[in-house]
Amino acid sequence: MKKIGVMTSGGDAPGMNAAIRAVVRYGIYLGMEVYGIEKGYVGLLDDKIFQLNMRSVSDIIHRGGTILKTARCPEFKEVQGQERAIANIKKRGLEGIIVIGGDGSFMGAKILSERGIPTIGIPGTIDNDLPYTDFTIGFDTACNTALDAINKIRDTMTSHERISIIEVMGRHCGDIALYAGIAGGAEMILVPEKPFTIESVCENLINNYDEGKKSCIIVLAEGAGRAEVLAKEISARTKFEVKATVLGHIQRGGGPSMVDRILATRCGVRAVQLLSKGIGNRVVGIKDNEIIDLDIVEALSLKRKFNEELYHIAEIVSL
Ligand code: ADP
Ligand code: F6P
């Protein structure tokens, strides 16, 4: 392939720019023309496609967000929208497309593949909810941002002997809560993968108090409940003073960590290598620190496994 397109789609994630940079520079290094598609599938539908050169991606490796912009595009879920997108891809002569995004964006990539456009998916989402890869681009940075907030909240909670519930993102996935919670020494980590009752949470807090823990940090994944609601329920059932913090979009911004920059760069290079060999319809990721690629249909059919071992460790070391 000599002419390829790259886009970012769905929720942005720190490290997307580093992936775009790798795609553009490695593509040009291999003699390709690389085109940026603006705002994900919206840009395909609206023909917002422009050529990128080596300098288009200067000074972006350290920036959060995405220079290509991103969007959610419901029209692409309809056949009419897909046909418009494919007509634009053909008009522009793009021979392959690289989609940087999460599972929703990969559903779109699968459709492009099925309709004869060789497409490669790069996992860009803070949620870490793609089953075929150990980590997604943006997850490490989001966890570090959450961790920084947990550390700060811990200082004031300890001083006042309060309970703090910190709600983190992740959609239906508890990984941000699990990793940031363990790293931040949280007393409790509440995730959608591990159902809990308000009674068990209160019992735990009382036991902790009796054991000498006068303040507690509870990290709550958004998929497992709302911090405000939980805070009210605990206050109503116990004598503790409970504060709720929703971290929100701060977790999606900021310069990517070293881990995310390296992952993004490695994934970007592998994606271009595949297209340069005429291979499409695959997703790239990381397993045991090796960059992997596998069939997009297979990747999307896998079921996510929650890290039970890590969760168990968290329970023990937070006692
Ligand atoms: P993410 O990629 O972060 O999971 P979304 O789930 O919002 O984000 O998906 C991003 C975009 O991918 C959607 O707005 C839509 O354009 C496209 N998409 C999602 N699901 C499908 C689908 N089933 N068929 C076609 N396109 C889809
Ligand atoms: O998928 C990334 C994510 O940040 C989720 O963690 C969160 O549930 C969602 O996107 C928020 O979406 P929006 O930015 O549209 O509010």
Side-chain angles (χ1 to χ4, degrees):
M1 285 180 208
K2 286 284 169 211
K3 209 167 166 182
I4 63 169
V6 58
M7 65 154 97
T8 47
S9 165
D12 64 351
M16 279 183 161
N17 279 329
I20 296 166
R21 173 179 176 270
V23 166
V24 171
R25 295 220 169 134
Y26 202 78
I28 294 172
Y29 164 75
L30 290 183
M32 293 170 154
E33 286 179 20
V34 185
Y35 288 75
I37 300 157
E38 216 175 75
K39 293 191 186 168
Y41 294 100
V42 173
L44 277 186
L45 263 74
D46 296 347
D47 197 24
K48 293 273 164 53
I49 301 168
F50 47 90
Q51 191 169 1
L52 298 167
N53 61 40
M54 289 289 195
R55 296 286 74 77
S56 317
V57 291
S58 291
D59 203 28
I60 64 166
I61 191 165
H62 61 300
R63 293 187 200 281
T66 158
I67 58 159
L68 293 177
K69 307 276 175 75
T70 186
R72 297 199 162 100
C73 176
E75 292 95 320
F76 190 76
K77 291 185 181 174
E78 310 297 328
V79 174
Q80 266 187 337
Q82 292 161 12
E83 279 169 358
R84 218 166 92 204
I86 286 163
N88 284 330
I89 292 171
K90 293 204 163 137
K91 184 178 87 184
R92 296 291 195 137
L94 297 180
E95 297 161 287
I97 304 281
I98 294 173
V99 177
I100 307 168
D103 56 353
S105 304
F106 282 10
M107 288 299 291
K110 177 171 155 271
I111 285 166
L112 284 179
S113 298
E114 286 164 354
R115 288 174 155 267
I117 311 289
T119 306
I120 304 287
I122 292 180
T125 166
I126 62 164
D127 297 338
N128 208 37
D129 57 352
L130 293 167
Y132 75 90
T133 180
D134 287 345
F135 296 108
T136 57
I137 297 163
F139 172 68
D140 183 69
T141 307
C143 286
N144 281 312
T145 302
L147 179 58
D148 184 47
I150 293 168
N151 292 340
K152 287 177 174 152
I153 291 171
R154 175 185 282 286
D155 288 343
T156 164
M157 291 303 122
T158 308
S159 306
H160 285 265
E161 299 194 336
R162 286 170 169 163
I163 307 295
S164 194
I165 304 172
I166 304 167
E167 183 184 315
V168 299
M169 279 186 168
R171 211 177 280 198
H172 308 296
C173 176
D175 276 16
I176 296 178
L178 178 63
Y179 282 72
I182 292 181
E187 275 71 25
M188 256 181 271
I189 298 171
L190 304 175
V191 292
E193 294 88 344
K194 289 279 173 188
F196 60 90
T197 63
I198 179 70
E199 288 76 20
S200 65
V201 171
C202 291
E203 199 184 304
N204 228 324
L205 289 173
I206 293 164
N207 287 342
N208 278 348
Y209 189 86
D210 292 344
E211 294 284 333
K213 281 194 182 231
K214 305 297 182 209
S215 74
C216 272
I217 300 278
I218 301 176
V219 178
L220 171 70
E222 63 174 346
R226 296 274 80 86
E228 282 288 351
V229 175
L230 192 60
K232 282 199 182 105
E233 289 183 344
I234 297 171
S235 296
R237 286 173 166 82
T238 66
K239 59 177 182 180
F240 301 124
E241 195 183 347
V242 192
K243 298 285 176 186
T245 307
V246 180
L247 293 189
H249 286 83
I250 194 168
Q251 293 158 100
R252 284 242 299 266
S257 65
M258 181 272 282
V259 169
D260 279 329
R261 294 182 201 192
I262 302 286
L263 177 61
T265 303
R266 292 174 81 192
C267 285
V269 166
R270 173 64 68 89
V272 173
Q273 283 170 339
L274 289 167
L275 288 183
S276 77
K277 291 181 199 147
I279 301 168
N281 314 350
R282 296 184 80 75
V283 288
V284 301
I286 188 160
K287 268 270 169 229
D288 302 326
N289 206 26
E290 294 289 332
I291 297 298
I292 53 150
D293 59 86
L294 78 160
D295 182 77
I296 192 163
V297 178
E298 192 189 336
L300 286 173
S301 70
L302 296 175
K303 230 181 118 40
R304 231 192 120 259
K305 267 205 217 108
F306 182 65
N307 194 330
E308 297 285 344
E309 191 196 342
L310 210 47
Y311 185 79
H312 180 61
I313 289 172
E315 284 183 313
I316 306 293
V317 299
S318 65
L319 287 175

